């Protein structure tokens, strides 16, 4: 049963105003007034809440829909790309994010740029740290070959062509073939031009040229068309040497008639496009054909066996007279021996980690070490490892420090062997047979040390494998010294009874 005031309040809100003359009912009046106001606000609050919630839900659904639409159409086609769209700037009109990242490969992400004074012979304003000044034993290891003259730290793709053009290694005195250009310039344009549209023919024509002649046909460094199909944007292999090399490597594994552009998965291609260049290779025959030594497999010993079988030698050592091999930069082969390869982690997973730009998932085309910053470590390593950026940095530093320690021991042993062979040859203290044996040990030790030193991962791509091959190289170098002293040496001698490393699963 309501009071007169309550009834009146329901009809006229003004009744809620306190009556100054009603002193005795003052306190009760305030309470009743507030209670009535609250009841009246409830419907309004409910209405506002429902409206806000409905608006937020509408915004959320709209945003999700828009992002799905953006994801479905990952780029806006501003220009039509064809098999002759060689200029990366044209691709950049459709893919501005990736193009801007690609352009950033010109930046110094490793802190090893050195300012220099440009000259007419070399107009560059920056070089990178000289590796043969940092490691003089490497300079001696290559004495008699071009790398003993000029060898610097590598840098981003934007520098690939200009750095090769102005290194002393491609100078007149070394007479390098056009084959060198295969991994330092955008090749489809060069192959098309020289082969009149037949890229295989263009590849062979360029190999047979001098470096200076081939360089005249190059317009840019590594570009979009080197790794992507211009119509589908799918990853694709454009280098004939890799197509042939991986076919032989697969054959060694028992896979017949392997066509990489037909048979490789997208995940495999995220490594293979990089492996077109980041590999061991040589220039076969008078045609100087770029060739990957993978007929027997992908280990350093497989490569060595291949070179010995075909009788290949890159140079004769200026001091010792040994006929030697020059290892290149076998990143792919070394990675293939490591735990990341076993678990399907590709080159792109670490060096081109995904990031979100709006609704798009973009591979970072700046292409750099994942150790550059906490952000890059987070984007690459920490997608799999439950750790912190600091802990990952320490782990990688530890791996590379252990590798450096093994490399130092190997370099010291090789350096001592070169000294001993040179001295024994000069003073006649060793027989020709012992000299030949010692030089063969130098060939083996030098190739393995060179292989690991020139590989850009510095032991990280396959830590246990890298240290094991360096241990073998040290043994070979010391064996060569013993051979010079007439000591019969046997390598690879195991224990009388092989040790058991794993529990017997049958018991």
């Amino acid at each position: 049963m309501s009071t007169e005031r309550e009834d009146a309040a329901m009809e006229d809100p003004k009744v809620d105003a306190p009556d100054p003359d009603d002193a005795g009912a003052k306190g009760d009046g305030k309470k009743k007034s507030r209670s009535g106001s609250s009841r009246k606000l409830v419907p309004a609050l409910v209405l506002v809440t429902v409206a806000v919630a409905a608006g937020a839900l509408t915004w959320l659904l709209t945003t999700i829909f828009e992002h799905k639409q953006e994801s479905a159409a990952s780029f806006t086609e501003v220009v039509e790309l064809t098999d002759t769209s060689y200029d990366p700037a044209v691709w950049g009109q459709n893919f501005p994010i990736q193009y801007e990242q690609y352009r950033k490969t010109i930046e110094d992400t490793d802190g090893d740029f050195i300012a220099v004074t440009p000259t007419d012979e070399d107009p560059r304003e920056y070089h990178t740290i000289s590796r043969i000044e940092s490691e003089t034993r490497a300079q001696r290891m290559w004495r008699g070959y071009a790398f003993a003259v000029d060898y610097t730290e590598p840098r981003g793709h934007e520098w690939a062509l200009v750095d090769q053009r102005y290194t002393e290694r491609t100078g007149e005195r070394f007479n390098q073939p056009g084959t060198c250009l295969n991994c330092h310039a955008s090749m489809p344009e060069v192959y098309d031009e020289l082969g009149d549209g037949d890229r295989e023919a263009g590849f062979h024509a360029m190999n047979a040229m001098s470096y200076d002649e081939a360089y005249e046909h190059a317009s840019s460094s590594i570009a979009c068309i080197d790794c992507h199909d211009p119509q589908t944007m799918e990853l694709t292999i454009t280098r004939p040497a890799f197509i042939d090399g991986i076919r032989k490597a697969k054959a060694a594994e028992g896979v017949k008639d392997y066509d990489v552009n037909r048979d490789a998965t997208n995940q495999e291609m995220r490594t293979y496009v990089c492996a077109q260049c980041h590999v061991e290779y040589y220039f076969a025959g008078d045609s100087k054909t770029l060739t990957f030594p993978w007929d027997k497999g992908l280990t350093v010993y497989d490569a060595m066996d291949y070179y010995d079988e075909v009788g290949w030698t890159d140079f004769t050592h200026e001091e010792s007279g040994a006929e030697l091999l020059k290892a290149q930069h076998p990143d792919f082969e070394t990675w293939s021996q490591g735990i990341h390869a076993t678990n399907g982690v590709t080159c792109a997973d670490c060096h081109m980690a995904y990031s979100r730009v709006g609704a798009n998932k973009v591979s970072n085309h700046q292409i750099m070490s994942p150790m550059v910053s906490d952000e890059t470590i987070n984007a690459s390593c920490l997608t799999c490892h439950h750790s912190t950026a600091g802990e990952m940095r320490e782990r990688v530093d530890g791996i590379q420090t252990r590798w450096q320690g093994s490399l130092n021991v190997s370099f010291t042993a090789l350096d001592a062997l070169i000294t001993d062979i040179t001295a024994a040859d000069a003073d006649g203290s060793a027989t020709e047979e012992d000299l030949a044996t010692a030089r063969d040990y130098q060939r083996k030790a030098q190739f393995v040390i060179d292989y690991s030193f020139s590989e850009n991962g510095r032991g990280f791509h396959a830590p246990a494998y890298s240290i094991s091959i360096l241990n073998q190289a040290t043994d070979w170098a010391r064996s060569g010294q013993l051979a010079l002293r007439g000591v019969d040496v046997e390598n690879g001698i195991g224990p009388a009874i092989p040790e058991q490393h794993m529990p017997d699963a049958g018991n």
Side-chain angles (χ1 to χ4, degrees):
M1 190 173 181
S2 62
T3 64
E4 290 181 4
R5 179 179 291 274
E6 288 171 338
D7 292 340
M10 293 179 66
E11 296 173 1
D12 183 0
K14 293 178 181 177
V15 175
D16 277 331
D19 183 355
D21 297 328
D22 191 3
K26 189 174 183 179
D28 292 338
K30 282 184 177 179
K31 290 179 181 178
K32 291 174 180 175
S33 175
R34 289 172 184 155
S35 175
S37 298
S38 298
R39 283 198 297 274
K40 286 185 298 180
L41 287 174
V42 168
L45 287 173
V46 170
L47 183 62
V48 170
T49 302
V50 170
V52 170
L57 182 60
T58 302
W59 173 84
L60 179 62
L61 292 174
T62 302
T63 302
I64 291 173
F65 176 76
E66 290 176 349
H67 282 196
K68 282 187 175 181
Q69 291 295 102
E70 290 174 10
S71 296
S74 57
F75 70 98
T76 301
E77 187 174 19
V78 178
V79 296
E80 181 184 1
L81 299 175
T82 70
D83 289 339
T84 57
S85 298
Y86 306 121
D87 186 351
V90 175
W91 291 60
Q93 295 180 57
N94 289 353
F95 302 96
I97 298 170
Q98 290 88 344
Y99 178 66
E100 288 304 313
Q101 292 172 338
Y102 156 82
R103 293 284 296 164
K104 288 184 177 179
T105 60
I106 203 169
E107 295 179 356
D108 179 8
T109 56
D110 294 327
D112 57 4
F113 280 27
I114 300 172
V116 294
T117 302
T119 64
D120 291 339
E121 293 74 26
D122 185 351
R124 292 175 296 174
E125 295 180 346
Y126 293 93
H127 294 178
T128 51
I129 294 170
S130 169
R131 293 200 74 186
I132 54 174
E133 289 180 5
S134 303
E135 178 50 87
T136 56
R137 293 170 296 186
Q139 194 273 343
R140 192 183 189 203
M141 174 174 72
W142 292 326
R143 199 156 288 170
Y145 198 59
F147 279 78
V149 174
D150 186 6
Y151 180 57
T152 59
E153 293 283 359
R155 51 182 168 178
H157 280 179
E158 273 286 273
W159 292 98
L161 183 58
V162 67
D163 277 354
Q164 186 183 61
R165 170 69 281 184
Y166 294 108
T167 176
E168 292 182 53
R169 299 198 305 273
T170 55
E172 185 176 352
R173 59 174 163 159
F174 293 114
N175 190 31
Q176 296 285 6
T179 319
C180 296
L181 206 62
N182 271 292
C183 291
H184 286 260
S186 183
M187 282 294 101
E189 181 177 12
V190 180
Y191 294 156
D192 285 346
E193 182 179 331
L194 295 176
D196 194 21
D198 182 340
R199 291 184 177 175
E200 180 79 21
F203 164 72
H204 290 289
M206 191 195 71
N207 290 335
M209 292 179 165
S210 71
Y211 179 80
D212 288 345
E213 289 174 332
Y215 179 80
E216 294 301 316
H217 297 276
S219 63
S220 75
S221 184
I222 317 301
C224 315
I225 199 170
D226 290 84
C227 299
H228 290 279
D229 183 301
Q231 277 82 44
T232 66
M233 297 304 121
E234 296 288 335
L235 294 172
T236 188
I237 300 298
T238 56
R239 302 301 200 270
F242 183 82
I243 294 171
D244 181 62
I246 196 66
R247 180 177 55 78
K248 291 176 178 174
K250 290 291 184 180
E253 298 173 0
V255 181
K256 297 179 180 178
D257 190 29
Y258 186 80
D259 182 330
V260 63
N261 281 322
R262 180 193 65 197
D263 300 329
T265 66
N266 181 65
Q267 188 70 356
E268 289 173 324
M269 291 296 269
R270 286 166 56 79
T271 288
Y272 289 166
V273 291
C274 307
Q276 296 184 92
C277 293
H278 293 266
V279 292
E280 165 63 12
Y281 60 81
Y282 76 113
F283 303 158
D286 293 337
S287 61
K288 303 296 182 186
T289 302
L290 179 64
T291 305
F292 299 167
W294 296 347
D295 295 48
K296 297 175 180 294
L298 295 175
T299 72
V300 64
Y301 306 125
D302 292 332
M304 192 182 302
D305 287 346
Y306 171 86
Y307 285 132
D308 287 345
E309 186 171 289
V310 301
W312 182 256
T313 290
D314 282 300
F315 70 104
T316 300
H317 196 270
E318 191 174 85
E319 296 179 38
S320 72
E323 295 185 338
L324 303 176
L325 302 167
K326 172 68 189 80
Q328 307 305 326
H329 30 68
D331 303 316
F332 168 64
E333 295 96 325
T334 304
W335 163 87
S336 69
Q337 308 306 315
I339 191 170
H340 286 98
T342 302
N343 286 280
V345 180
T346 69
C347 303
D349 289 320
C350 297
H351 298 283
M352 302 177 68
Y354 285 118
S355 63
R356 283 283 178 189
V357 181
N360 294 320
K361 186 180 178 184
V362 180
S363 288
N364 189 344
H365 283 60
Q366 190 171 357
I367 312 174
M368 54 190 162
S369 166
M371 292 294 110
V372 165
S373 67
D374 285 359
E375 181 181 0
T376 54
I377 292 173
N378 184 61
S380 54
C381 312
L382 302 190
T383 56
C384 297
H385 294 274
H386 299 291
S387 185
T388 66
E391 289 168 349
M392 288 308 305
R393 202 182 296 279
E394 288 180 10
R395 184 184 299 187
V396 173
D397 182 63
I399 289 170
Q400 294 184 328
T401 298
R402 286 192 289 276
W403 168 81
Q404 183 69 59
S406 294
L407 181 69
N408 285 340
V409 173
S410 297
F411 260 134
T412 299
L414 177 63
D415 205 53
L417 175 59
I418 294 171
T419 297
D420 285 2
I421 293 174
T422 305
D425 190 26
D427 63 20
S429 59
T431 66
E432 285 300 319
E433 183 180 356
D434 290 340
L435 277 170
T437 301
R439 285 170 177 145
D440 185 55
Y441 277 124
Q442 181 186 347
R443 175 182 170 91
K444 294 176 179 175
Q446 177 271 331
F447 182 62
V448 172
I449 295 169
D450 190 355
Y451 193 94
S452 195
F453 178 68
S454 301
E455 194 265 328
N456 289 315
R458 299 176 190 273
F460 178 78
H461 287 151
Y465 169 76
S466 295
I467 288 179
S468 74
I469 64 175
L470 287 173
N471 287 342
Q472 180 62 71
T474 300
D475 188 35
W476 278 332
R478 295 305 185 191
S479 294
Q481 288 181 284
L482 291 173
L484 290 172
R485 291 157 176 78
V487 178
D488 290 332
V489 179
E490 293 184 64
N491 298 98
I493 301 173
I497 299 175
E499 294 184 2
Q500 184 172 322
H501 300 287
M502 298 289 287
D504 187 342
N507 296 325

